[in-house]
Amino acid sequence: MTGNLLELSGIHASYGRAEVLHGISLSMKAGSIVTVIGANGAGKTTLLNAVMGIMPARGTILYDGVPVPHSVEARVAAGLCLVPEKRELFASMSVEDNIELGGFLRSASERAETREELYARFPRLAERRRQLAGTLSGGERQMLALARALMSRPRLLLLDEPSLGLASKIVTDILDIVSELRKTGVSILLVEQNARAALEIADEGYLIELGEVRRSGPAAELAADPALMESYLGTHS
Ligand SMILES: Nc1ncnc2c1ncn2[C@@H]1O[C@H](COP(=O)(O)OP(=O)(O)O)[C@@H](O)[C@H]1O
Ligand SMILES: [Mg+2]
């Protein structure tokens, strides 16, 4: 036992014959935020999908010290939850109904309790609970995607570019919310192109480039390395 909530070793993944992850290793402690940063096309989404079980992968994924269950459904039941890059909300359903869908494995009374907690955390969603999801702003949509994920009471939240497409002020709001979530005990694997913002709220960071880990370490250390920030992530710093 290593005491890590998640431990990836030698993860390889391919689309057809093209391998795009070439042996990624990563570990995260329970209760921490770990960010995976890297340019567009580096393999970040593929890595999250491999952890969720949506993408077949070779290598070892230990969750709580034991091999993660095989199917996506079993991973959800074990407390993993992915918020995909495209959010995948139901535009013609209300905010509240979208949130309810996140709790499909839980009882009505558990859902009701979590719903009230979520509305306290996201007052903007509470005000808009009857509004159709398709009419929300970009930031509100991302809040809704997070709320729906939290409805399942995950232990490990996998977030794929929560700041994508949002105005910079909203990016800060969303990442502040992500940072607050850690206090509820959920562990967060945060994928971001927006490296500087992600490293600010993370405990550990991994820089991936072309499907390989190039650098890893305490987030503050990576953020303080000007060569790294410029050479790999110049336009996003
Ligand atoms: N469905 C797919 N079929 C073929 N290649 C893909 C597919 N999805 C992603 N790729 C390729 O895999 C690599 C990694 O992509 P991705 O994981 O989406 O990167 P990131 O999320 O870091 O932008 C890229 O070269 C991308 O073109
Ligand atoms: Mg991606």
Side-chain angles (χ1 to χ4, degrees):
M1 286 289 289
T2 59
N4 286 323
L5 179 64
L6 183 71
E7 200 165 324
L8 311 179
S9 10
I11 300 296
H12 293 255
S14 309
Y15 294 101
R17 297 173 72 170
E19 187 179 90
V20 299
L21 297 182
H22 312 291
I24 301 260
S25 296
L26 173 156
S27 57
M28 69 184 289
K29 293 194 173 65
S32 68
I33 299 181
V34 172
T35 188
V36 173
I37 56 179
N40 197 16
K44 305 182 298 298
T45 294
T46 305
L47 183 66
L48 281 193
N49 288 344
V51 172
M52 195 65 223
I54 294 165
M55 173 84 196
R58 282 192 294 122
T60 313
I61 303 178
L62 296 182
Y63 177 65
D64 234 357
V66 297
V68 73
H70 188 69
S71 72
V72 180
E73 291 74 15
R75 291 184 197 189
V76 171
L80 279 78
C81 185
L82 169 68
V83 179
E85 197 173 288
K86 295 202 164 71
R87 331 297 199 223
E88 288 167 17
L89 300 170
F90 293 92
S92 59
M93 286 171 62
S94 69
V95 165
E96 182 143 308
D97 287 345
N98 270 277
I99 292 176
E100 284 297 303
L101 285 174
F104 69 97
L105 289 174
R106 305 178 65 213
S107 73
S109 64
E110 286 172 329
R111 286 203 307 273
E113 189 188 329
T114 305
R115 190 193 310 128
E116 292 319 305
E117 286 170 20
L118 289 170
Y119 282 149
R121 180 174 295 283
F122 299 99
R124 291 169 73 100
L125 296 181
E127 290 161 18
R128 292 164 176 77
R129 63 175 84 185
R130 309 267 168 253
Q131 198 172 315
L132 299 184
T135 65
L136 298 176
S137 72
E140 290 160 359
R141 291 168 61 80
Q142 185 53 259
M143 284 179 204
L144 178 54
L146 279 173
R148 185 180 58 187
L150 291 169
M151 190 65 176
S152 72
R153 278 284 172 92
R155 289 183 66 202
L156 174 57
L157 198 51
L158 309 171
L159 301 181
D160 198 352
E161 306 233 24
S163 78
L164 193 70
L166 301 181
S168 57
K169 193 210 158 299
I170 318 282
V171 170
T172 313
D173 291 349
I174 294 288
L175 291 180
D176 283 349
I177 290 169
V178 172
S179 180
E180 283 291 311
L181 290 179
R182 175 192 6 214
K183 296 181 189 155
T184 69
V186 63
S187 308
I188 300 164
L189 186 56
L190 169 67
V191 154
E192 268 293 340
Q193 265 190 75
N194 195 335
R196 197 170 292 282
L199 289 171
E200 240 166 61
I201 64 161
D203 300 298
E204 302 283 325
Y206 288 76
L207 169 67
I208 66 171
E209 197 188 44
L210 298 175
E212 291 181 54
V213 175
R214 281 275 175 258
R215 284 283 300 276
S216 65
E221 225 167 78
L222 299 185
D225 181 337
L228 179 152
M229 297 306 284
E230 271 166 37
S231 64
Y232 291 106
L233 308 154
T235 56
H236 296 284
S237 60

